[in-house]
Amino acid sequence: MNKRSDTGNMIFFCREALKVLMIRRIRKTTGDANLPSEVWVFPGADVREGESFRETARRAAREMTGLEAHNVMQFIHGHELDHSDIFYMSEVDEMQSPQMPEAIRETEEWVQEALWVDSRKVKELNLQPAYMKHEIEKHMTGKPERREWVELTNMCMVEDGSRLLLENRVKDSWKGYAFPGGHVDPGESIVQSVIREIYEETGITIRNPRLVGVKQFPIFGGRYIVFLFKTNEFSGEIQSSDEGHVEWIERARLPEIAKVDDFDVLMEIYERDDISEFQYTIEENDEWKVNLY
């Protein structure tokens, strides 16, 4: 799922010494008071065409530190609508001296160097991205983490005999015909959220929505969860919203229309009684795998 400006990053850990290899960048000019004079980052680079995130991370480590990453494991995946950052880790038994080539030590904006840093001091640095401070501390200390960031959403299949209520979504991030739905507001019940979202997006009021399953995929620091509901009880007349054009579609027409990418997998959750969970996982080759449970 490489998109424009996706990046692969490598983190070298030496757990025995509690050290992590980082890139220190000192800004050449500090005329703008809003710009930090010093930032810390990890070796990383934009993904090239035909290159996997893992290959990018290895290349970035080699080009920026002179070190080869071995036994590479995915560390954390940060996902946004138009960008993905994947951080990989490579643990080393002994700290090796990084060698940053002269050609990249200076850029138009920065003077930079590769350094081993005490992981206990990382929280004091101007680290970009800042969320990695928590991830480094958690990994190096071995503290168990039972909490994570979760984005809660909903979706509903509304049936009227042989017809399904679908929305032809206009957003590029997930374009095509899909079941309507949206986000759960803070403090709102899951059921009330789907009733509200369906009304806002389609103009009809649904009753007695039944939870039939969940869809989930990884996002930065946690997961994105979609509660999947189903109902054939509703009132009102349909009307479209800014999210997309709403219409009743005969089931027989489903193969003919341009649906969102995973519509057919969602239909399995809605129609089968033996499964209730649709989960995406990211495999070692950076491919997204569909899992049904």
Side-chain angles (χ1 to χ4, degrees):
M1 54 176 285
N2 292 3
K3 302 176 289 297
R4 186 189 65 198
S5 76
D6 286 352
T7 58
N9 310 270
M10 183 62 67
I11 305 174
F12 288 96
F13 289 106
C14 184
R15 193 187 294 272
E16 292 296 320
L18 293 178
K19 299 285 186 178
V20 58
L21 186 62
M22 303 177 68
I23 307 297
R24 180 191 188 195
R25 289 178 171 171
I26 300 175
R27 195 180 300 276
K28 286 185 174 180
T29 58
T30 57
D32 188 340
N34 295 319
L35 296 176
S37 60
E38 176 184 281
V39 298
W40 295 77
V41 299
F42 297 105
D46 288 343
V47 177
R48 294 172 178 171
E49 185 176 354
E51 188 177 49
S52 71
F53 281 95
R54 186 180 295 262
E55 290 168 336
T56 299
R58 286 180 180 274
R59 172 173 58 82
R62 184 169 54 252
E63 293 177 352
M64 299 185 77
T65 71
L67 303 184
E68 289 290 342
H70 301 289
N71 302 320
V72 175
M73 294 178 287
Q74 185 172 316
F75 185 62
I76 189 170
H77 173 240
H79 172 67
E80 299 176 5
L81 289 179
D82 60 352
H83 182 81
S84 284
D85 279 306
I86 294 187
F87 291 82
Y88 294 92
M89 59 173 285
S90 179
E91 291 208 30
V92 297
D93 296 328
E94 296 182 5
M95 290 186 297
Q96 305 169 53
S97 298
Q99 301 293 329
M100 178 175 283
E102 288 288 344
I104 65 171
R105 285 191 181 182
E106 287 197 38
T107 68
E108 292 185 4
E109 188 176 5
W110 306 101
V111 175
Q112 53 186 8
E113 59 181 332
L115 299 168
W116 285 101
V117 177
D118 188 325
S119 61
R120 294 164 294 188
K121 302 292 185 180
V122 169
K123 60 185 176 182
E124 303 170 7
L125 305 178
N126 182 16
L127 176 61
Q128 296 181 353
Y131 61 72
M132 290 301 294
K133 293 182 181 181
H134 174 71
E135 298 302 324
I136 296 298
E137 180 182 28
K138 182 174 65 176
H139 178 78
M140 295 301 286
T141 61
K143 294 178 182 177
E145 182 67 39
R146 298 293 179 87
R147 296 178 297 175
E148 61 182 341
W149 290 102
V150 177
E151 190 164 349
L152 301 178
T153 65
N154 57 64
M155 181 179 291
C156 189
M157 172 195 278
V158 184
E159 299 177 290
D160 181 27
S162 62
R163 303 189 304 172
L164 300 177
L165 185 61
L166 298 181
E167 181 178 64
N168 192 4
R169 292 173 51 86
V170 297
K171 289 185 177 179
D172 290 335
S173 58
W174 204 49
K175 203 167 186 177
Y177 281 92
F179 296 112
H183 280 79
V184 179
D185 286 343
E188 186 178 37
S189 80
I190 309 299
V191 171
Q192 286 299 316
S193 75
V194 73
I195 293 173
R196 173 186 54 77
E197 283 286 354
I198 299 306
Y199 177 75
E200 291 176 358
E201 293 195 4
T202 72
I204 69 170
T205 300
I206 61 172
R207 297 185 298 275
N208 300 319
R210 179 170 61 90
L211 182 64
V212 298
V214 295
K215 171 187 174 182
Q216 61 166 304
F217 56 86
I219 57 174
F220 151 64
R223 66 185 75 192
Y224 187 105
I225 296 179
V226 188
F227 294 95
L228 306 175
F229 289 89
K230 185 177 186 178
T231 187
N232 59 7
E233 300 180 47
F234 61 90
S235 59
E237 298 295 326
I238 62 171
Q239 58 184 33
S240 300
S241 71
D242 293 339
E243 297 289 331
H245 177 69
V246 177
E247 59 184 294
W248 291 104
I249 300 287
E250 289 286 343
R251 284 175 177 267
R253 285 192 55 216
L254 291 179
E256 306 170 8
I257 62 176
K259 303 177 289 292
V260 292
D261 291 341
D262 52 16
F263 185 91
D264 292 337
V265 184
L266 283 168
M267 283 294 288
E268 289 198 60
I269 300 294
Y270 278 115
E271 308 256 90
R272 290 173 53 180
D273 294 330
D274 60 325
I275 55 175
S276 60
E277 183 177 5
F278 166 12
Q279 181 193 31
Y280 278 117
T281 54
I282 304 174
E283 302 302 292
E284 286 193 2
N285 60 359
D286 301 319
E287 294 294 324
W288 284 49
K289 178 184 176 183
V290 170
N291 304 277
L292 298 179
Y293 304 100

